[in-house]
Amino acid sequence: MAVLKLGAPMRGWAESLDEVDDPVFAGRMLGDGVAIDPVGAEVRAPCDGEVTSVHRAGHAVSLRAGCGAELLVHVGLETVSLGGRGFIRHVADGAAVKAGDLLISVDLEAVARTAKSLITPMVLTNGDEFEIVRRNIGRRVEVGDVVMEIRPLAETSSASPVKPETAARQVVIPLAHGLHARPSALIAAEAKRHVADIRLSHGGREANARSPVAIMALGLVRHDAVSVTASGAEAAGAVAAVADLIERGLPGEPPPPAPSLAQAPGPELPPADASVLEGTPAAPGLAIGSAVRLIARAPAVNEVSRGVAAESAALAEALSALRQRMSRQAATGPQAQTEIVRAHLAFLDDEDLAAAARDAIEAGASAGVAWRRAIEAQVAILRQVSDVHIAQRADDLVDLERQVLVELAGESEAPQVLPDHAVLLAEDLGPAQLIGLPKTLAGICTARGGPTSHVAILATAMNIPAVVAVGPAVMRVPDGAAVILDGGAGRLHVAPSASELSQAQTRLAVLHARRRETAALASEPCRMGDGTRIEVFANLGSVADAGAAMAAGAEGCGLLRTEFLFLGREGAPSENEQVETYQAIAKTLAGAPLVIRTLDVGGDKPVPFLDLPPEANPALGLRGVRVSLSRPELLSAQIRAILRVTPQNQCRILVPMVASLSELTAVRQAIAIARSELGHRDEIQVGVMIETPAAAVTADLLAAEADFLSIGTNDLTQYVLAMDRENPQLAGQTDALHPAVLRLIAATTRGARVHGRQVAVCGGLAADPAAAAILIGLGVTELSAPPAAIPELKAAVRALTFPPCEDLAARALECASAAEVRALMSSASGGER
Ligand code: PEP
Ligand code: MG
């Protein structure tokens, strides 16, 4: 194929990218090319092609040439922050342009006043597919003077002159936290299912959709428009799959650490003075102990290459060993750990990271040096992203760098030996380091880090109080110093006075005594003060959760969210795989009831392999039982798997997102068929989730056919208040204690009573011990909550008696707002507890 000549897009001086004062361009992270130090105010097309994207700020434009070359012209450095000031766009996405056509005009003076530099890189973002020859470097050039000549490396034979199939679509990011680690990993997983080369581009930057790290580096936040383009076989299908996945909304950031119900609020510490270090709360709780600085051993790195083959093999071996270790970690521990380790596994399989490391090895680097360089390049990009959630993922990459280097060095990650009551002080801490630390750790305090980091999420899940972003002073605290760490307030009190220490110790002793008391009673059946029986069950989302639930005193499982078996994979789990998982959970629950919810996907829980059609309003679309009824083979496999669990009467089936009786009837028919196929003798109880206002107000009709009802207050609140449960701006208002929600709960228990059915609550409201009185007063007899909430919940229920609860509930129904209900609750709690 002929050489493609690329003209200077602007009048000015042609320079090497080495002259660009920006590690992203100078480091060729976005590709190789040239730069123009401009004197002219027009950006013109360097060749014929199609505009794949023009950034809305007008400072960058991407083009695809007929030969497949992808070009990015980025006017100036850090010009995105100008928000379009000084730029006029003359073309739109998708426009066909000829060499020399005007793309953007620039007010050079205005831009020069605020931008870091006017230097304009023009890079080939898929440069590894081309041979590049630069021309006129160091010379003054006019627009159109040749500055690069490129020739495809895989020069195809004359037998294949076919233009590759291409497709493109623009989508808008719906996720509250943008494309951070997990959504990026899901997109990459989807992209890998297609042969076509899929790219995401935004703001003149482009990412290989098979690389989660590259996707994250785009820094896409909510409402950003991103172009999904593909070339190659079945490009249109590939674009549709990835674009749909993004548009339907990928699973978002786990909620920021909420106060753990198993933790008492931290104490009121004395006001800050020289010995009180202030940071950011990351995980609640109180710890009193002695400071232990983390010994950050940098793994030994062999700096000298033993040859490409040996270094490639060493890196492959280290990655494989780490992959195995991580897979084991993903299969154990709390759900938060599983999710985080899975995201790290996706980084480990990242194509761009692997390619960068491979290139470095081929260029003569050792495996360790190559891996370090590959990670450093990505970390540099991530740290520049303005979205804090995404920037914090750089810490995960640093953690991954260390783990691979440890493997390469053949060192073990033996945890540091810690004394009892150690409060660990560290410059920073990676999730893998935290997972490897002894569980006796009293608290964590770091100089850096952020409250939404994976370490913060893990510490919350592990009930370890944590404070982050304290600054370098934390590493000057001497080893062995007495400290009080208040996770809720975000404070580290160093060398407190004797009276401060004893005050904190008293509070901690009270807290521990209460915890011991609740733990001792946790395994006892839960009864109110007057003997009324209230069942306290657990919500589970993994096999590991079942163990935690039993340890916390759960009397059964009120909600098994079976989505964990279906999310983030390429196909549905087989019937046998489901039987195995459900059976393992049933066994861990040692005969206690196990309520298994049929698949509840769609809406906020997309499952790519189901290939569900894109919807304008996913929360009001095909989700919950509607999906199951539209895929009878999925429903039947799941029902059969549940029926095959032994003992036969341990499991119950719960049907999500029901709006009409006919849905329950259809599920019951599927159950009847499965039972007759399997020769299943015992009746199985079938319950309905009350998550739609329709279900709540027709609870009497549903209760006539259902064996029990279980209220999902998360969705019920969203639907009755017409407020998206994922929308952070509405977080303060989507309160399940809103009287409208309470009235629907009352309608549900009223309807259930007509047929003598039990009503459970398994939504988030059930985990709030303060809300137990109202729920019980409204007629709820089962509360199902996350395992960590159970001891506290049981203790709260035991402190109640029924008549005051009934009275409180009646008054709550008359309140005008959630705030009034909360005020009522707190004024009543003094007398009740
Ligand atoms: C609910 O909606 O309250 C519920 C328990 O279901 P999920 O949170 O899984 O949608
Ligand atoms: Mg729900």
Side-chain angles (χ1 to χ4, degrees):
M1 181 182 173
V3 166
L4 177 66
K5 297 186 181 209
L6 300 174
M10 299 181 85
R11 184 148 57 88
W13 294 88
E15 304 284 4
S16 151
L17 283 182
D18 296 332
E19 300 305 314
V20 181
D21 180 19
D22 183 318
V24 174
F25 289 107
R28 285 24 175 209
M29 289 171 198
L30 290 172
D32 208 349
V34 297
I36 306 290
D37 202 354
V39 294
E42 290 176 341
V43 181
R44 291 184 175 269
C47 60
D48 295 356
E50 183 195 329
V51 174
T52 47
S53 82
V54 195
H55 193 276
R56 63 172 181 276
H59 70 294
V61 57
S62 302
L63 295 178
R64 186 184 302 111
C67 63
E70 311 265 8
L71 285 166
L72 161 71
V73 181
H74 191 283
V75 185
L77 300 180
E78 298 180 11
T79 36
V80 64
S81 57
L82 300 184
R85 285 185 305 280
F87 297 97
I88 300 172
R89 293 174 288 167
H90 296 278
V91 284
D93 291 359
V97 290
K98 292 272 176 213
D101 280 356
L102 182 60
L103 305 176
I104 299 169
S105 31
V106 189
D107 181 342
L108 283 186
E109 252 184 68
V111 174
R113 269 199 300 275
T114 22
K116 177 175 170 188
S117 163
L118 284 175
I119 197 156
T120 297
M122 174 168 79
V123 298
L124 203 55
T125 53
N126 56 347
D128 48 358
E129 296 164 25
F130 294 84
E131 183 191 332
I132 303 176
V133 179
R134 276 158 280 268
R135 301 278 180 219
N136 287 318
I137 298 300
R139 303 230 175 99
R140 170 77 186 251
V141 288
E142 291 299 319
V143 171
D145 284 351
V146 175
V147 287
M148 269 204 274
E149 290 178 2
I150 61 171
R151 180 202 308 271
L153 279 178
E155 189 73 79
T156 45
S157 73
S158 53
S160 55
V162 189
K163 190 170 179 260
E165 187 192 334
T166 58
R169 189 166 123 199
Q170 268 234 334
V171 290
V172 173
I173 307 294
L175 291 178
H177 291 151
L179 293 191
H180 56 89
R182 270 157 299 173
S184 301
L186 283 175
I187 292 170
E190 176 61 46
K192 284 177 187 169
R193 278 193 272 275
H194 301 270
V195 181
D197 178 27
I198 312 171
R199 305 267 153 175
L200 302 187
S201 51
H202 172 81
R205 294 188 298 147
E206 190 186 72
N208 173 0
R210 296 153 75 97
S211 160
V213 173
I215 298 172
M216 273 195 298
L218 290 177
L220 294 169
V221 297
R222 191 171 203 184
H223 302 317
D224 272 350
V226 57
S227 298
V228 184
T229 55
S231 61
E234 294 174 13
V239 164
V242 170
D244 287 352
L245 183 61
I246 297 173
E247 270 186 343
R248 266 188 257 126
L250 293 145
E253 191 83 314
S260 159
L261 293 159
Q263 294 274 358
E268 281 160 24
L269 288 173
D273 58 31
S275 61
V276 175
L277 303 178
E278 302 279 347
T280 305
L286 172 69
I288 301 174
S290 46
V292 178
R293 278 177 300 177
L294 179 73
I295 305 162
R297 273 181 307 119
V301 177
N302 170 25
E303 304 277 340
V304 183
S305 170
R306 295 157 299 169
V308 173
E311 297 300 334
S312 304
L315 183 59
E317 207 177 296
L319 293 177
S320 148
L322 185 56
R323 202 172 284 120
Q324 279 177 24
R325 181 147 58 83
M326 283 184 170
S327 303
R328 281 195 301 276
Q329 286 174 344
T332 54
Q335 202 177 350
Q337 174 171 325
T338 304
E339 284 179 17
I340 291 165
V341 176
R342 278 204 190 129
H344 281 203
L345 272 166
F347 290 160
L348 210 55
D349 290 331
D350 189 285
E351 286 184 0
D352 282 9
L353 273 181
R358 207 173 41 239
D359 288 352
I361 288 177
E362 276 164 15
S366 68
V369 170
W371 182 253
R372 206 164 53 192
R373 271 194 215 152
I375 294 270
E376 277 170 3
Q378 296 297 342
V379 166
I381 297 175
L382 288 181
R383 296 240 194 262
Q384 291 184 349
V385 172
S386 55
D387 182 88
V388 68
H389 296 95
I390 294 176
Q392 282 179 10
R393 297 290 87 85
D395 300 340
D396 293 76
L397 282 182
V398 172
D399 197 32
L400 201 61
E401 174 190 322
R402 194 187 44 77
Q403 291 185 74
V404 172
L405 295 182
V406 166
E407 287 291 346
L408 275 170
E411 295 171 5
S412 79
E413 283 253 79
Q416 186 168 344
V417 179
L418 296 176
D420 283 352
H421 308 296
V423 174
L424 192 75
L425 311 182
E427 191 58 44
D428 209 350
L429 199 63
Q433 285 171 298
L434 177 52
I435 291 170
L437 283 168
K439 304 288 172 274
T440 52
L441 190 61
I444 298 166
C445 186
T446 62
R448 296 205 305 263
T452 61
S453 66
H454 279 152
V455 166
I457 294 165
L458 267 181
T460 305
M462 295 162 115
N463 272 334
I464 301 176
V467 177
V468 297
V470 175
V474 74
M475 292 312 279
R476 291 196 287 272
V477 175
D479 269 332
V483 289
I484 303 170
L485 182 87
D486 185 347
R491 263 188 224 141
L492 180 74
H493 193 170
V494 183
S497 69
S499 80
E500 287 161 346
L501 202 54
S502 98
Q503 198 188 347
Q505 267 158 350
T506 309
R507 293 186 67 97
L508 193 61
V510 170
L511 165 62
H512 281 169
R514 203 167 107 214
R515 255 201 232 147
R516 268 198 303 278
E517 199 182 314
T518 53
L521 287 172
S523 55
E524 299 290 313
C526 185
R527 286 187 186 282
M528 297 173 72
D530 56 11
T532 309
R533 177 84 169 98
I534 299 293
E535 288 169 315
V536 178
F537 282 14
N539 293 348
L540 308 181
S542 70
V543 182
D545 279 356
M550 290 308 279
E555 300 172 277
C557 162
L559 169 65
L560 174 65
R561 290 183 163 104
T562 56
E563 298 76 69
F564 76 95
L565 269 166
F566 294 73
L567 297 173
R569 54 188 289 161
E570 302 195 353
S574 68
E575 182 182 316
N576 284 346
E577 185 183 342
Q578 292 188 61
V579 176
E580 227 173 81
T581 307
Y582 303 151
Q583 187 66 65
I585 293 173
K587 196 166 162 222
T588 308
L589 294 180
L594 168 55
V595 177
I596 303 182
R597 179 171 75 180
T598 57
L599 186 60
D600 182 21
V601 292
D604 59 324
K605 304 162 188 142
V607 175
F609 70 79
L610 286 179
D611 231 358
L612 299 173
E615 297 171 320
N617 291 306
L620 304 179
L622 203 55
R623 55 167 307 189
V625 68
R626 301 167 200 168
V627 173
S628 295
L629 293 177
S630 75
R631 300 294 162 97
E633 71 292 349
L634 275 186
L635 179 63
S636 148
Q638 188 164 32
I639 289 173
R640 288 172 55 94
I642 298 170
L643 292 173
R644 284 172 57 194
V645 174
T646 57
Q648 281 200 353
N649 56 5
Q650 189 179 354
C651 293
R652 301 170 192 170
I653 293 177
L654 181 60
V655 188
M657 206 46 63
V658 166
S660 306
L661 180 58
S662 59
E663 291 159 334
L664 172 62
T665 313
V667 174
R668 276 210 179 274
Q669 274 164 5
I671 295 172
I673 294 170
R675 284 187 60 209
S676 95
E677 284 168 359
L678 293 167
H680 187 273
R681 276 166 300 133
D682 294 350
E683 281 286 341
I684 185 157
Q685 288 200 21
V686 183
V688 162
M689 280 201 77
I690 305 294
E691 296 171 286
T692 64
V697 298
T698 58
D700 56 331
L701 304 179
L702 293 168
E705 299 296 326
D707 297 303
F708 62 98
L709 305 181
S710 184
I711 304 175
T713 48
N714 309 335
D715 276 312
L716 187 59
T717 307
Q718 134 163 296
Y719 291 120
V720 72
L721 299 182
M723 289 183 188
D724 181 356
R725 64 192 262 187
E726 300 276 306
N727 187 333
Q729 278 154 338
L730 297 174
Q733 294 171 67
T734 41
D735 190 334
L737 283 169
H738 191 293
V741 182
L742 299 182
R743 285 179 185 216
L744 287 181
I745 295 174
T748 305
T749 53
R750 220 172 22 247
R753 215 170 293 131
V754 177
H755 302 281
R757 306 292 186 226
Q758 301 278 323
V759 177
V761 173
C762 64
L765 189 60
D768 181 353
I774 290 183
L775 293 177
I776 292 169
L778 289 173
V780 169
T781 55
E782 177 197 309
L783 300 170
S784 192
I790 287 178
E792 193 85 359
L793 196 53
K794 278 184 147 181
V797 171
R798 287 194 182 108
L800 300 171
T801 49
F802 192 70
C805 290
E806 231 180 351
D807 176 52
L808 182 69
R811 283 191 288 148
L813 291 178
E814 297 307 317
C815 287
S817 66
E820 256 184 53
V821 175
R822 288 192 178 276
L824 178 70
M825 266 171 23
S826 71
S827 70
S829 66
E832 267 306 299
R833 299 248 179 118

